[in-house]
Amino acid sequence: MTGEPLRIGVLGAARIAELSIVGPARAGGHRLVAVAARDRDRAASFAQRHGVQRVVGSYADLVADPEVEVVYNPLANGLHGPWNLAALAAGKHLLTEKPSASNAEEAAEIHEAVTKAGTVFMEGFHYLFHPVTRRLHELLDSGELGELRHVETVMAMPAPADSDPRWSFPLAGGALMDLGCYSLHAQRMLAPWAGGAPRLVAAQGGERPGVPGVDEWLDADLEFPSGATGTARCHMASPDRQFSCRIVGSQGEATAVNFVQPHRDDRVVVRTASGERTEELGRRSSYTYQLDAFAAHLRQGTPLALDAKDALTTMRLIDDCYRAAGFPVRPRTVLPTSL
């Protein structure tokens, strides 16, 4: 690590934080200075297990804490927007889990708040920083695959429990919000090789039984200015788990077997007229690469690929997909004024 360690405050004591911030902070020599959760005992247990220096009484206390330099927000989807806005109002740098907001209107407010605060904001599309995804982009850059013709991203997993907030409409749940945003974002990142950003052509989805307005699955068809096409699929009640990205060019194709969890499977399979080969790109966590990049930007000014404008563009595409598939846009969460 170069420069002073980041001083990180964690909102909530979610299990995902163990992989997404605790391990990467430890690997990078950064400090977890504070944690807050709705249940103080749960926060205390989290702090004890993971070496967080202290527990604070509320989310509001954490974003106001003068020792906290960076706020990490892994709360339920519907709580991303309001607490991201609160952290920015407090002048904090912010690393938020995706999606950054419940809808595009809220994402636009976050974009404006980032501009006003002058702090660093990043939405946690960690896959982008891993050598697996970088290799897909290198294969397009090198010309080995020829011109980009089609991309298919698939995000599918077995169903969470019925009580899981990912099935909650008020908390901005649904397959597209939880999984599909990866599918859409990965396609958006191919704009440099396809003449620009993709546009939505059509979308269709299926509702979770017993949960009005919440998508169990959703497929989106995209088209790039070059004429290349894309299919972004997500399914949150699938019999199997699949997190793949397949890029088809005029001279070959490449598939990242698990582009979102390369720490579990780091293979990229390349097929051209010369034959087939499998490249293994390393199982270091993509979250660790992400925090390294975030810290390098804060400490050395290294360019960062993700910002509030990118988050807003993704959220607009998500809203467009919901409307096209006949689903309502997710509602925003309004916090009590006493917080």
Side-chain angles (χ1 to χ4, degrees), residues 83-115:
W83 286 110
N84 287 345
L85 288 168
L88 292 167
K92 306 299 184 184
H93 301 301
L94 186 60
L95 174 58
T96 179
E97 281 305 319
K98 50 76 202 166
S100 64
S102 295
N103 54 54
E105 181 182 4
E106 189 173 46
E109 291 182 24
I110 290 171
H111 181 272
E112 183 179 349
V114 171
T115 302

Side-chain angles (χ1 to χ4, degrees), residues 55 61 215 223 285:
V55 174
D61 290 339
D215 49 312
E223 185 177 38
S285 168

Side-chain angles (χ1 to χ4, degrees), residues 76-191:
N77 287 346
L79 297 177
H80 289 169
W83 286 110
N84 287 345
L85 288 168
L88 292 167
K92 306 299 184 184
H93 301 301
L94 186 60
L95 174 58
T96 179
E97 281 305 319
K98 50 76 202 166
S100 64
S102 295
N103 54 54
E105 181 182 4
E106 189 173 46
E109 291 182 24
I110 290 171
H111 181 272
E112 183 179 349
V114 171
T115 302
K116 182 178 180 180
T119 55
V120 175
F121 171 95
M122 190 171 80
E123 190 174 29
F125 283 110
H126 51 94
Y127 79 92
L128 189 64
F129 300 93
H130 197 277
V132 161
T133 295
R134 294 209 308 269
R135 183 57 178 150
L136 292 179
H137 296 173
E138 287 169 0
L139 288 166
L140 287 170
D141 252 346
S142 71
E144 183 177 0
L145 302 181
E147 295 182 0
L148 180 65
R149 295 286 175 81
H150 181 71
V151 56
E152 181 175 287
T153 44
V154 180
M155 294 291 299
M157 60 175 278
D162 289 342
S163 60
D164 195 289
R166 285 173 286 184
W167 292 126
S168 168
F169 184 75
L171 287 176
L176 185 62
M177 294 290 282
D178 187 68
L179 298 175
C181 57
Y182 282 114
S183 287
L184 294 174
H185 194 269
Q187 301 224 7
R188 285 191 52 244
M189 292 299 101
L190 297 178

Side-chain angles (χ1 to χ4, degrees), residues 6 45 59 79 105 136 155 162 190 218 231 255-256 281 310:
L6 301 182
S45 176
Y59 298 156
L79 297 177
E105 181 182 4
L136 292 179
M155 294 291 299
D162 289 342
L190 297 178
L218 193 145
T231 303
T255 299
L281 281 302
D310 181 80

